[in-house]
Amino acid sequence: MAGLAVAALTLSGCVTAFLPPKAAEPTSSSSSPATSDVAAELKPFYEQKLDWKTSGCADGFECATAKAPIDWDNPSDGELSLALVRHQATNGKPIGSLFMNPGGPGGSGYSLVADSLDFAVDKDLQENFDVVGFDPRGVGKSTPVTCLTDSEMDAYLYDVTPGKRGSDEWIAANEKAAKEFGDACAEETGKMLEFVDTQSAAKDLDMLRAAVGDKQLYYLGYSYGTFLGATYAELFPKNVGRLVLDGAIDPSTSNFEVVKEQAKGFESALQAYLEDCMTGKDCPFSGSVDSAMTEIKTLLDEVDANPIPGDDGRELSGNTLLTAIIYPLYQVDAWPYLSKMFDEVMQGGTDIAFQFADGYNGRSESGKYADNQTEAFNAINCLDYSYDDDKTKMADEAKQLEEAAPVIGEYMAYGDTFCANWPYQTRTERGEIHAKGAAPILVIGTTNDPATPYVWAQNLAEQLDKGQLITYKGEGHTGYNKGSDCVNQAVDQYLIDGTVPSKDPMCS
């Protein structure tokens, strides 16, 4: 649903023994790009020279802009821009360029590297790699998907939908809002809106690999970034050097199964929060975890039926409260603030809930949206999955979601109404990714990850011809650079030395 949160966990672990097998040995950044297999009409993109500059970048970083075709199948039919930022290897001898993606879809790799390098990668990787953040097509500083004004985005995200949830009136209102959103995106964005799918972004990534001079790709992708990385490996297996996919998405999972597993994941994380909360003195709940879960469901339903007015005129509805609950569940360190929010809402207050929802949605206190993550998220997802807004089918799926996640499942239903009304539909079929012929790939799964459930990492590692699972036994979203020495060492040794774990180290 979203990419990375902003705080690190303080957990530790150990690494089991490693055996000699190595991942591929990519050529360093000083090498000429490998373009021998590239079609003649694509070579101008692959062989472009990036003009790295320090002016206009954060201190210690270089920036550049690359060009890519809007439609890779028709490269003469218009271009778009891709924004990159680079932190050069601190040892002065980079193994290569390590490309980063924080997730989303719609998360900014540029911001991840430029604003929070130490959170993105540890010092060992900073020493050995040129760390490169890039915004995928449609995202952030690259040519963006553009749709709504700030006030229009407020109305879309926060206005209360008329009618009873799931009723014909309620569905019709959501369909109308979805169509207006999509029409605005088509008008403001233009032809690129049809080509912000993940396969197109993976082709961009291969071009960027060549443009920085690497014959094979080094890559660290989080959350949705694992789908981008796996898609790359499927399309360009011979160009895979060392890929780490953390917080994995199962590429064969349907949109409904994604929603159901995420509903179960956040429900499980909510239970884990309550178990922890009730051991402290400032917990707003008492009794059992089950009774507290029931209390939260009642609170959601009450707020949904009678939204609470906020100080700025917005109303706290069930949808917004769910967003506010989900946001701090990404990180264990944020759980104490979740307690404060529940306490405030139970007393009729909305300040913290809106702060959390605004943080999730990228909205500042002044009502400005810092980036286009919501527009990009919707545009990319609508092209990556297929959708069906048949009312009978959606009603049946709503029942399944409520059974799978009794507290929050109801509030994650009927999502197909949005993308079923999108201007463009998917051109690809979801399916397993094997990346036959690719070098070994590391897949990291956290056992109680609410956003990308552990089973997805297990599935992806099993699907890949040479996938190696790294299990992180813990809470929160993703596992690398979250305090586990075990996970960090496994990733660092793989990326730096090419050492593949002999088996899953089962980190903690």
Side-chain angles (χ1 to χ4, degrees), residues 133-163:
F134 69 103
D135 284 352
R137 55 174 56 212
V139 175
K141 293 180 182 295
S142 293
T143 304
V145 172
T146 305
C147 306
L148 306 180
T149 65
D150 289 337
S151 61
E152 289 170 339
M153 184 63 73
D154 266 359
Y156 173 74
L157 291 173
Y158 295 100
D159 278 5
V160 178
T161 306

Side-chain angles (χ1 to χ4, degrees), residues 80 82 117 128 133 157 172 186 242 272 299-300 339 351 363 404 450 475:
L80 55 82
L82 300 172
L117 181 65
N128 287 279
L157 291 173
R242 297 167 195 160
L299 181 65
L300 276 165
S339 294
D351 288 351
R363 182 186 190 273
E475 302 284 342

Side-chain angles (χ1 to χ4, degrees), residues 274-287:
L274 288 170
E275 290 171 358
D276 178 76
C277 178
M278 289 179 176
T279 65
K281 61 181 180 179
D282 296 323
C283 186
F285 302 97
S286 59

Side-chain angles (χ1 to χ4, degrees), residues 55-73:
S55 61
C57 298
D59 289 344
F61 294 87
E62 300 173 302
C63 305
T65 301
K67 295 294 183 182
I70 290 176
D71 179 2
W72 277 96
D73 292 332

